[in-house]
């Protein structure tokens, strides 16, 4: 579990993580992931972890998530979409795999 995963697990409870997974960050709008200033700050703190999650996704799915890579022309939109994507991926990962040890979060 990387630091960004720990951040998501510790910041949002099980119900919030479920809503993020099901509805996506854009629709659920969880506190701390709404504004560009918030997502840019998270990107700066967790950029290595976020890119690690992207690599995990690529290995599992065979391609990059398009709604992130389609924003490579804008740093702000790329950072925002990467943070959103990773939050959604983490929420899904731990929801769908309850055997993962959340006690280490």
């Amino acid at each position: 579990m990387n630091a960004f995963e720990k951040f998501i697990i510790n910041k949002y409870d099980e119900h919030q993580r479920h809503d993020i997974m099901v509805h996506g960050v854009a629709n659920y709008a969880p506190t701390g992931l709404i504004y560009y200033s918030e997502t840019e700050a998270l990107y700066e703190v967790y950029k290595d972890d976020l890119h690690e999650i992207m690599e995990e996704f690529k290995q599992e799915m065979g391609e990059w998530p398009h709604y992130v890579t389609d924003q490579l022309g804008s740093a702000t939109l790329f950072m925002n979409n990467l943070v959103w994507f990773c939050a959604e991926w983490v929420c899904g990962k731990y929801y769908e795999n309850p055997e993962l040890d959340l006690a280490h979060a």
Side-chain angles (χ1 to χ4, degrees):
M1 178 181 295
N2 70 32
F4 182 77
E5 291 173 313
K6 288 179 184 179
F7 166 76
I8 293 296
I9 297 303
N10 289 322
K11 181 159 181 72
Y12 303 104
D13 66 28
E14 182 180 344
H15 299 290
Q16 291 169 315
R17 292 191 309 267
H18 178 264
D19 287 341
I20 291 169
M21 177 191 71
V22 171
H23 304 292
V25 174
N27 292 316
Y28 179 62
T31 301
L33 294 175
I34 299 170
Y35 301 104
Y36 290 142
S37 60
E38 295 169 332
T39 56
E40 287 177 0
L42 287 170
Y43 180 87
E44 289 304 320
V45 172
Y46 297 110
K47 62 184 154 202
D48 291 336
D49 297 329
L50 298 168
H51 287 275
E52 178 183 299
I53 293 167
M54 283 271 289
E55 184 62 32
E56 178 184 334
F57 176 86
K58 185 179 181 209
Q59 288 177 4
E60 288 189 29
M61 306 306 282
E63 62 185 5
W64 302 111
H66 294 289
Y67 89 89
V68 175
T69 58
D70 288 349
Q71 299 303 327
L72 287 171
S74 167
T76 297
L77 293 177
F78 173 76
M79 287 185 277
N80 183 73
N81 285 9
L82 180 57
V83 169
W84 283 7
F85 164 78
C86 290
E88 293 163 1
W89 179 259
V90 168
C91 290
K93 176 179 174 179
Y94 289 94
Y95 181 79
E96 294 172 1
N97 298 295
E99 70 278 2
L100 293 174
D101 186 5
L102 298 181
H104 292 97

